[in-house]
Amino acid sequence: MLGIYNAFGYDIDWQERYDLIKAAGFDSVMLWWSDGFGRGPGYQKDPERARNAGLVVENIHAPVQWQNDLSLDDQDGESLMEVYSQCVRDCAQYQVPAVVIHLPNDQFPLSELGMERIGRLTELAGEHGVKIAMEGIFNTRNLCKALDSFPTLGLCYDSCHYANDPDAPDLLGLYGHRLMALHLHDNGGERGQHRLPFDGDIDWPRVMGEIAGTGYKGPISLEPMNWGYEHMDIREFLGLAYERAVKLENSLF
């Protein structure tokens, strides 16, 4: 199964977007679950729109704007906890199996309160039959602490964020058996991230070999943006993205 992140750019009707994703050859989508970063209102309708196009919804991505507040003993910390809790409840309501969450960056170490909140989230997820995948993005000390403490948490492996973090441990080696989601994109370009695979410096044969070594059987999913590809229309962009996804999938065997 080949998947792609839904909010990769372009100003286009959302149902048409999903129809074009399906027409390009993709089987599944990962949904940005917020009206932030230009998504605008109406994101709660995306599971239905995606399924109307014949796509599987892999997961939703929780908002990231307040990720560093998780350990704060104030209203900001409680508000973030409610945001994450609502994402878990939304997964159950919209029949989405998993939510991807960013932990705080490592300069904001998880406190006892932060860990207690993660514990409450895992309990809520268990009650609703929802999986939580924690994404590594300049937060690997916090990530390892959470994964070591809560065995039901999974790993969302982001190829570019991992490659761009010189201090990151071997996440696939340590937690590959708990791999729940993939964000595959390349580095380089003006923003150093979210390029299509093979347009940056990542060693894709090595990365895909390591993913294969975990025994992962889920979707091979891209998380590109159209940054640097604005000269392409959406059909061209999706066609090229699908070609790259097929190339990655073929490298697993």
Side-chain angles (χ1 to χ4, degrees):
M1 183 179 291
L2 300 179
I4 192 169
Y5 171 61
N6 69 329
F8 49 80
Y10 298 101
D11 183 9
I12 188 172
D13 174 79
W14 283 90
Q15 185 60 64
E16 184 179 1
R17 175 185 298 264
Y18 294 115
D19 292 339
L20 291 174
I21 289 171
K22 180 65 175 181
F26 288 100
D27 308 295
S28 61
V29 285
M30 305 178 292
L31 306 181
W32 175 249
W33 205 248
S34 163
D35 58 5
F37 293 115
R39 168 61 184 86
Y43 63 89
Q44 298 95 333
K45 297 179 181 179
D46 284 338
E48 180 181 4
R49 291 170 176 142
R51 290 168 182 143
N52 285 342
L55 294 163
V56 173
V57 180
E58 297 177 39
N59 55 59
I60 64 172
H61 198 308
V64 301
Q65 299 96 312
W66 312 284
Q67 65 189 43
N68 294 329
D69 295 347
L70 188 60
S71 291
L72 295 182
D73 189 8
D74 59 16
Q75 187 55 49
D76 288 341
E78 285 301 309
S79 294
L80 178 62
M81 179 63 182
E82 177 53 31
V83 167
Y84 288 165
S85 298
Q86 187 59 53
C87 285
V88 170
R89 293 190 290 267
D90 285 347
C91 280
Q93 178 179 347
Y94 296 103
Q95 299 180 313
V96 179
V99 55
V100 173
I101 290 176
H102 286 190
L103 288 169
N105 293 341
D106 279 336
Q107 62 263 43
F108 303 95
L110 284 169
S111 67
E112 182 177 347
L113 175 59
M115 292 294 285
E116 187 269 334
R117 284 172 172 154
I118 295 171
R120 280 193 277 147
L121 281 174
T122 62
E123 291 177 4
L124 182 67
E127 292 169 4
H128 288 282
V130 172
K131 297 177 180 179
I132 298 177
M134 295 298 189
E135 180 176 351
I137 173 170
F138 301 105
N139 61 4
T140 50
R141 287 194 296 276
N142 285 334
L143 179 67
C144 292
K145 183 176 181 179
L147 291 175
D148 289 342
S149 300
F150 300 102
T152 61
L153 291 177
L155 172 67
C156 172
Y157 177 76
D158 187 298
S159 58
C160 181
H161 297 326
Y162 181 79
N164 287 348
D165 183 355
D167 298 322
D170 180 7
L171 293 178
L172 289 176
L174 291 168
Y175 306 107
H177 60 293
R178 293 162 65 180
L179 186 58
M180 289 183 182
L182 294 176
H183 287 174
L184 302 178
H185 55 113
D186 222 325
N187 54 15
E190 290 186 3
R191 307 198 192 197
Q193 60 182 333
H194 294 292
R195 301 278 289 169
L196 289 173
F198 305 102
D199 284 349
D201 297 328
I202 290 178
D203 182 350
W204 287 105
R206 178 188 58 78
V207 168
M208 298 310 292
E210 291 177 355
I211 291 171
T214 69
Y216 175 77
K217 301 298 183 184
I220 303 302
S221 294
L222 308 188
E223 196 194 30
M225 295 296 296
N226 71 332
W227 303 331
Y229 303 96
E230 292 91 347
H231 61 286
M232 296 182 177
D233 70 24
I234 188 171
R235 291 169 179 81
E236 291 177 291
F237 179 79
L238 283 169
L240 183 58
Y242 181 73
E243 289 178 11
R244 302 294 174 82
V246 169
K247 188 174 180 180
L248 292 179
E249 184 180 47
N250 289 342
S251 69
L252 287 173
F253 306 104

